[in-house]
Coordinates of all heavy atoms in Angstrom, one line a residue:
V29 N 50.9 130.5 106.0 CA 50.9 131.8 105.4 C 51.8 132.7 106.2 O 51.4 133.2 107.3 CB 49.4 132.4 105.4 CG1 49.4 133.8 104.7 CG2 48.4 131.5 104.7
P30 N 53.0 132.9 105.8 CA 53.9 133.8 106.5 C 53.6 135.3 106.4 O 53.4 135.7 105.2 CB 55.3 133.5 105.9 CG 55.1 132.2 105.1 CD 53.7 132.3 104.7
T31 N 53.6 136.0 107.5 CA 53.3 137.4 107.4 C 54.1 138.1 108.5 O 54.7 137.5 109.4 CB 51.8 137.8 107.7 OG1 51.6 137.8 109.1 CG2 50.8 136.9 107.0
M32 N 54.1 139.5 108.4 CA 54.7 140.3 109.5 C 53.6 141.0 110.3 O 53.8 142.0 110.9 CB 55.7 141.3 108.9 CG 56.9 140.6 108.2 SD 58.3 141.6 108.1 CE 57.8 142.9 107.1
G33 N 52.4 140.5 110.1 CA 51.3 141.1 110.9 C 50.7 142.4 110.3 O 51.0 142.7 109.1
A34 N 50.0 143.2 111.1 CA 49.3 144.4 110.6 C 48.4 144.0 109.4 O 48.5 144.5 108.3 CB 50.3 145.5 110.2
L35 N 47.6 142.9 109.6 CA 47.0 142.3 108.5 C 45.9 143.2 107.8 O 45.2 143.9 108.4 CB 46.3 141.0 109.0 CG 47.2 140.0 109.6 CD1 46.4 138.7 110.0 CD2 48.4 139.6 108.8
H36 N 45.9 143.0 106.5 CA 44.9 143.7 105.6 C 44.3 142.7 104.7 O 44.6 141.5 104.7 CB 45.5 144.9 104.9 CG 46.7 144.6 104.2 ND1 46.8 143.8 103.1 CD2 48.0 145.0 104.3 CE1 48.0 143.7 102.6 NE2 48.8 144.4 103.4
Q37 N 43.4 143.2 103.8 CA 42.7 142.2 102.9 C 43.7 141.4 102.0 O 43.4 140.3 101.6 CB 41.7 143.0 102.0 CG 40.5 143.5 102.7 CD 39.7 142.4 103.5 OE1 39.6 141.3 103.0 NE2 39.3 142.7 104.7
G38 N 44.9 142.0 101.7 CA 45.9 141.2 100.9 C 46.3 140.0 101.6 O 46.3 138.9 101.1
H39 N 46.6 140.1 102.9 CA 47.0 139.0 103.7 C 45.8 138.0 103.8 O 46.0 136.8 103.7 CB 47.4 139.4 105.2 CG 48.5 140.3 105.2 ND1 48.4 141.6 105.6 CD2 49.9 140.1 105.0 CE1 49.6 142.2 105.6 NE2 50.5 141.3 105.3
S41 N 43.4 137.4 101.9 CA 43.1 136.7 100.7 C 44.0 135.4 100.6 O 43.6 134.4 100.1 CB 43.4 137.5 99.4 OG 44.8 137.8 99.2
L42 N 45.3 135.5 101.2 CA 46.1 134.4 101.2 C 45.6 133.3 102.1 O 45.6 132.1 101.9 CB 47.6 134.8 101.7 CG 48.3 135.9 100.9 CD1 49.7 136.1 101.5 CD2 48.4 135.5 99.4
Q63 N 65.6 141.2 108.1 CA 65.3 141.6 106.7 C 65.0 143.2 106.6 O 64.7 143.7 105.5 CB 64.1 140.9 106.1 CG 62.7 141.2 106.7 CD 61.6 140.2 106.3 OE1 61.7 139.1 106.6 NE2 60.7 140.7 105.5
Y73 N 57.5 149.7 112.3 CA 56.7 148.8 111.6 C 55.4 148.5 112.5 O 55.6 148.2 113.7 CB 57.4 147.4 111.3 CG 56.7 146.7 110.2 CD1 57.0 147.0 108.8 CD2 55.7 145.7 110.5 CE1 56.3 146.3 107.8 CE2 55.0 145.1 109.4 CZ 55.3 145.4 108.1 OH 54.6 144.8 107.1
F147 N 51.6 130.0 101.1 CA 50.9 130.9 100.3 C 51.6 132.3 100.4 O 51.8 132.8 101.5 CB 49.4 131.0 100.6 CG 48.7 129.8 100.2 CD1 48.9 128.6 101.0 CD2 47.9 129.7 99.1 CE1 48.2 127.4 100.6 CE2 47.3 128.6 98.7 CZ 47.4 127.4 99.4
F148 N 52.0 132.9 99.2 CA 52.6 134.2 99.2 C 51.9 135.1 98.2 O 51.3 134.6 97.2 CB 54.1 134.0 98.8 CG 55.0 133.5 99.9 CD1 55.1 132.1 100.1 CD2 55.7 134.3 100.7 CE1 55.9 131.6 101.1 CE2 56.5 133.8 101.7 CZ 56.6 132.4 101.9
G149 N 52.0 136.4 98.4 CA 51.4 137.3 97.5 C 52.3 137.7 96.3 O 53.5 137.9 96.5
E150 N 51.7 137.9 95.1 CA 52.5 138.4 94.0 C 52.9 139.8 94.2 O 53.7 140.3 93.5 CB 51.6 138.2 92.7 CG 51.5 136.8 92.2 CD 50.6 136.7 91.0 OE1 50.0 137.7 90.6 OE2 50.6 135.6 90.4
K151 N 52.2 140.5 95.1 CA 52.5 141.9 95.5 C 54.1 142.0 95.7 O 54.7 143.0 95.2 CB 51.8 142.3 96.7 CG 52.3 143.4 97.5 CD 52.0 144.7 96.9 CE 52.3 145.9 97.8 NZ 53.4 145.9 98.6
D152 N 54.7 141.0 96.4 CA 56.1 141.0 96.6 C 56.7 140.0 95.6 O 57.0 138.9 96.0 CB 56.4 140.7 98.0 CG 55.8 141.7 99.0 OD1 56.4 142.7 99.2 OD2 54.6 141.5 99.4
Y153 N 56.7 140.3 94.3 CA 57.0 139.3 93.3 C 58.4 138.7 93.4 O 58.6 137.5 93.3 CB 56.7 139.9 91.9 CG 56.7 138.9 90.9 CD1 55.5 138.2 90.6 CD2 57.8 138.5 90.1 CE1 55.4 137.2 89.7 CE2 57.7 137.5 89.1 CZ 56.5 136.8 89.0 OH 56.4 135.8 88.0
Q155 N 60.2 138.5 96.1 CA 60.2 137.6 97.3 C 59.6 136.3 96.9 O 60.1 135.2 97.3 CB 59.4 138.3 98.4 CG 59.1 137.4 99.6 CD 58.4 138.2 100.7 OE1 59.1 138.8 101.4 NE2 57.1 138.1 100.8
C175 N 49.7 134.2 95.0 CA 48.3 134.6 94.9 C 48.3 136.1 94.4 O 49.2 136.8 94.7 CB 47.6 134.6 96.2 SG 47.6 132.9 96.9
P176 N 47.2 136.4 93.6 CA 47.1 137.8 93.0 C 47.2 138.9 94.0 O 46.7 138.7 95.2 CB 45.8 137.8 92.3 CG 45.2 136.5 92.4 CD 46.0 135.6 93.3
T177 N 47.6 140.1 93.6 CA 47.7 141.3 94.4 C 46.3 141.8 94.7 O 45.5 142.0 93.7 CB 48.6 142.3 93.7 OG1 49.9 141.8 93.5 CG2 48.6 143.6 94.6
I178 N 46.0 142.1 95.9 CA 44.7 142.7 96.3 C 44.9 144.2 96.3 O 45.9 144.7 96.9 CB 44.2 142.2 97.6 CG1 44.0 140.7 97.6 CG2 42.9 142.9 98.0 CD1 43.0 140.1 96.6
R179 N 44.0 144.9 95.6 CA 44.1 146.4 95.5 C 42.9 147.1 96.1 O 41.8 146.6 96.1 CB 44.2 146.7 94.0 CG 45.4 146.1 93.3 CD 45.5 146.3 91.8 NE 46.6 145.7 91.3 CZ 47.9 146.1 91.4 NH1 48.1 147.3 92.0 NH2 48.9 145.4 91.0
L184 N 45.5 151.1 94.0 CA 46.7 151.0 94.9 C 46.8 149.6 95.5 O 45.8 149.1 96.1 CB 46.6 152.1 96.0 CG 47.8 152.1 97.0 CD1 49.1 152.4 96.3 CD2 47.5 153.1 98.1
A185 N 47.9 149.0 95.4 CA 48.1 147.7 96.0 C 48.0 147.8 97.5 O 48.7 148.7 98.1 CB 49.5 147.1 95.6
Q186 N 47.3 147.0 98.2 CA 47.2 147.1 99.6 C 48.5 146.8 100.3 O 49.2 145.9 99.8 CB 46.1 146.2 100.2 CG 44.7 146.6 99.7 CD 43.6 146.1 100.6 OE1 43.8 145.4 101.6 NE2 42.4 146.6 100.3
S187 N 48.9 147.6 101.3 CA 50.2 147.4 102.0 C 50.0 148.0 103.4 O 49.4 149.0 103.5 CB 51.3 148.1 101.2 OG 52.4 148.2 102.0
S188 N 50.7 147.4 104.3 CA 50.7 147.9 105.7 C 51.3 149.3 105.6 O 51.0 150.2 106.4 CB 51.6 147.1 106.6 OG 51.3 145.7 106.4
R189 N 52.2 149.6 104.7 CA 52.9 150.9 104.6 C 52.0 152.0 104.1 O 52.3 153.2 104.3 CB 54.2 150.8 103.7 CG 55.2 149.9 104.3 CD 56.6 150.1 103.7 NE 57.6 149.7 104.5 CZ 58.1 148.4 104.5 NH1 57.6 147.5 103.7 NH2 59.1 148.1 105.4
Ligands
LIG301 P1 54.1 141.1 104.8 O1 53.3 141.0 106.0 O2 54.1 142.4 104.2 O3 55.4 140.4 104.9 O4 53.3 140.2 103.7 C1 52.9 138.9 104.0 C2 52.4 138.2 102.8 O5 51.3 138.9 102.3 C3 53.4 138.2 101.6 O6 53.3 137.0 100.9 C4 52.9 139.3 100.7 O7 53.3 139.2 99.4 C5 51.4 139.2 100.9 N1 50.8 140.5 100.6 C6 51.0 141.7 101.1 N2 50.2 142.6 100.5 C7 49.4 141.9 99.6 C8 48.4 142.3 98.7 N3 48.0 143.6 98.5 N4 47.8 141.4 98.0 C9 48.2 140.0 98.1 N5 49.2 139.6 98.9 C10 49.8 140.6 99.7

Side-chain angles (χ1 to χ4, degrees):
V29 181
T31 81
M32 297 203 297
L35 302 183
H36 51 65
Q37 290 303 321
H39 300 111
S41 73
L42 304 182
Q63 71 189 67
Y73 200 85
F147 290 76
F148 284 84
E150 288 181 348
K151 157 80 172 32
D152 300 276
Y153 195 81
Q155 168 175 280
C175 300
T177 301
I178 302 298
R179 301 178 179 281
L184 178 64
Q186 293 205 355
S187 164
S188 316
R189 291 197 162 87

